[in-house]
Amino acid sequence: MRKIKYKKGRKLQHITLEYTGTHKEHETEMQLFVYDDADVVEYDKFTVLALNSCFDYTKNNWLNIHGLNDINLIKTIGTHFKLDDFLLADILNTTKRTKLEEQQNVLFFNIKSLLPSEYSDNISVEQISFILKEGILISFQEKRSDFFTHIRERLRTHAGIVRTKKVDYLLYLLLDAVMENFYITIEDEEEKIEELINQAKKGAHPVILEKIENHRDNFNFLKRSIVPLRDSLYYLKTIKDDDENNGLIQKETFNFFIRLHQKSLELLEQIESDMSALESASNFYFSEQSRKMNEIMKTLTIISAIFIPLTFIVGVYGMNFEYMPELKMRNGYFIVMGIMFLLVIALIVYFKKRRWF
């Protein structure tokens, strides 16, 4: 049976810079937004040569990187922003669990983005990492996707309050967008479960049980993805309580991260409920199988009960005694056959009255 695990790739040393993901065909591209309440400047084809000239440290800077295949580029980014090699290794090693790590003037966050696969019951997984520094947010995606399209539009059109806030609020929006994918995935799984239950009502086919087990694996994987996210968001709450965030997260922004923590709790509750529904589907499958087996056994028992007296009669007249009274009767054969026929009819009527079939 298929099992989904975090550690699908080979083990690496903690500071080994090697991309372990599956999206190795995607070229590394970068996009930079420099914005404040008054203005926004977008660099769509950003290169490392412009690191010194395009960043404006008096404003908010969001550098979004698609594709993690160019290790030298990742190293250059890390050197320019003075990032620890351990953080770069965690960004490239996609087998790691969701985590939050706080260093001197740096907040590191990585998260698993999950979406249903288009042509199968599997779940598509992508790791997204974030580096938060004073006035700078760097996001690392394994491939180009549409997760943050609406956030880019809000920056361009000055919709909402994103441009009036610091980059910590932008981090909240990006995390919220990724968490929305969990809802999409869970909703897709729920639709498939409902379809499985309907199929199980029509017939207990072994393929249905196999699909139920596959979806149970998917929910376990979802749970294992959300639990460390919940713990990381709870850690952010403790940072607020301890007031030790180095100023990277504004006090008024903490309430938004608390909302994300509440969302993670809701997701886990929803998963528990769906796993109960999946367990019910599994129980229904086995109950349907047992019911069908009982129906078959009942039918066979009724047939056996009908033929037992007939077999007795045939056995009696199959004995080779010379002086059996009925052997010389001219219509004896037809009389015995009529008695057997009437006996069958009587048994069927009796079983019908008892509602045995």
Side-chain angles (χ1 to χ4, degrees):
M1 187 173 294
R2 178 179 61 93
K3 291 185 179 180
I4 308 174
K5 297 182 179 181
Y6 273 109
K7 296 183 178 180
K8 297 179 182 178
R10 61 188 182 86
K11 293 182 179 180
L12 300 174
Q13 295 297 323
H14 294 300
I15 58 174
T16 300
L17 299 184
E18 180 180 339
Y19 174 55
T20 61
T22 59
H23 305 286
K24 297 185 177 181
E25 72 281 1
H26 296 275
E27 295 183 1
T28 303
E29 300 176 351
M30 295 191 294
Q31 182 184 40
L32 175 65
F33 281 88
V34 180
Y35 68 93
D36 59 10
D37 190 19
D39 191 21
V40 59
V41 180
E42 179 180 353
Y43 302 92
D44 194 34
K45 299 295 182 180
F46 187 76
T47 64
V48 292
L49 299 177
L51 282 173
N52 293 319
S53 59
C54 294
F55 274 79
D56 187 346
Y57 296 101
T58 64
K59 299 181 180 181
N60 298 314
N61 301 267
W62 173 30
L63 177 61
N64 190 31
I65 301 174
H66 303 101
L68 303 178
N69 296 307
D70 194 338
I71 305 300
N72 291 328
L73 185 146
I74 301 299
K75 287 182 179 179
T76 303
I77 295 293
T79 302
H80 181 83
F81 292 104
K82 300 178 181 179
L83 301 178
D84 196 299
D85 285 345
F86 288 101
L87 294 184
L88 298 181
D90 286 342
I91 291 170
L92 295 171
N93 189 353
T94 60
T95 63
K96 294 293 185 70
R97 286 160 54 96
T98 296
K99 65 181 292 187
L100 172 68
E101 186 172 338
E102 188 183 14
Q103 295 185 2
Q104 186 67 29
N105 300 320
V106 174
L107 190 67
F108 172 73
F109 205 118
N110 78 343
I111 185 173
K112 304 293 182 183
S113 175
L114 308 181
L115 280 173
S117 297
E118 188 174 356
Y119 301 108
S120 70
D121 289 336
N122 298 332
I123 294 178
S124 176
V125 186
E126 179 187 352
Q127 178 172 285
I128 302 178
S129 304
F130 302 97
I131 297 289
L132 180 65
K133 292 174 66 72
E134 182 64 34
I136 300 171
L137 177 64
I138 309 174
S139 54
F140 299 85
Q141 297 179 247
E142 293 189 67
K143 60 184 179 67
R144 182 176 287 274
S145 58
D146 299 329
F147 302 157
F148 308 142
T149 300
H150 65 289
I151 299 176
R152 295 188 184 94
E153 287 300 317
R154 290 172 68 174
L155 286 171
R156 295 178 184 122
T157 60
H158 206 329
I161 61 174
V162 58
R163 278 174 47 184
T164 65
K165 296 286 188 179
K166 299 292 185 181
V167 287
D168 56 340
Y169 180 77
L170 178 62
L171 174 61
Y172 153 73
L173 290 179
L174 299 180
L175 289 173
D176 185 59
V178 175
M179 290 184 68
E180 284 299 318
N181 293 339
F182 286 101
Y183 286 102
I184 295 173
T185 305
I186 291 175
E187 184 178 349
D188 181 78
E189 288 293 317
E190 288 174 343
E191 291 177 357
K192 292 176 179 178
I193 290 173
E194 185 177 352
E195 182 180 349
L196 279 176
I197 294 175
N198 293 333
Q199 290 178 2
K201 290 179 180 178
K202 295 178 182 178
H205 197 277
V207 175
I208 296 176
L209 184 60
E210 181 180 352
K211 289 183 177 181
I212 288 174
E213 292 304 317
N214 286 342
H215 289 296
R216 182 177 284 112
D217 287 342
N218 287 346
F219 276 118
N220 284 325
F221 181 56
L222 279 163
K223 187 175 181 179
R224 294 201 307 272
S225 300
I226 296 173
V227 166
L229 174 62
R230 176 204 62 188
D231 296 340
S232 298
L233 292 170
Y234 181 78
Y235 175 70
L236 278 179
K237 181 181 177 181
T238 64
I239 292 178
K240 176 190 176 183
D241 296 338
D242 295 338
D243 197 22
E244 295 179 356
N245 60 346
N246 297 321
L248 294 176
I249 300 180
Q250 306 296 311
K251 290 185 179 295
E252 61 270 16
T253 311
F254 271 110
N255 292 329
F256 296 105
F257 287 99
I258 292 174
R259 291 182 189 177
L260 293 183
H261 179 255
Q262 186 62 36
K263 269 190 175 183
S264 67
L265 297 178
E266 293 174 358
L267 286 168
L268 288 173
E269 290 176 0
Q270 192 169 349
I271 287 175
E272 290 296 335
S273 175
D274 291 333
M275 290 187 73
S276 298
L278 201 59
E279 189 67 27
S280 298
S282 180
N283 293 336
F284 184 87
Y285 171 85
F286 288 112
S287 297
E288 184 66 15
Q289 271 198 331
S290 298
R291 187 191 67 80
K292 285 192 172 184
M293 182 63 68
N294 290 336
E295 288 292 330
I296 293 172
M297 294 303 298
K298 184 174 70 173
T299 302
L300 293 176
T301 302
I302 290 173
I303 293 174
S304 298
I306 291 174
F307 278 91
I308 284 174
L310 304 184
T311 304
F312 171 76
I313 295 173
V314 171
V316 169
Y317 286 98
M319 293 186 296
N320 293 321
F321 292 111
E322 182 176 355
Y323 300 104
M324 291 183 68
E326 294 86 0
L327 291 180
K328 302 298 182 178
M329 293 181 61
R330 187 177 188 87
N331 297 317
Y333 170 77
F334 299 103
I335 293 172
V336 172
M337 291 298 294
I339 292 173
M340 293 171 68
F341 177 76
L342 292 174
L343 185 60
V344 169
I345 297 299
L347 287 172
I348 292 175
V349 171
Y350 176 76
F351 293 151
K352 277 285 189 182
K353 285 185 176 181
R354 295 298 298 269
R355 296 181 179 179
W356 287 359
F357 69 93

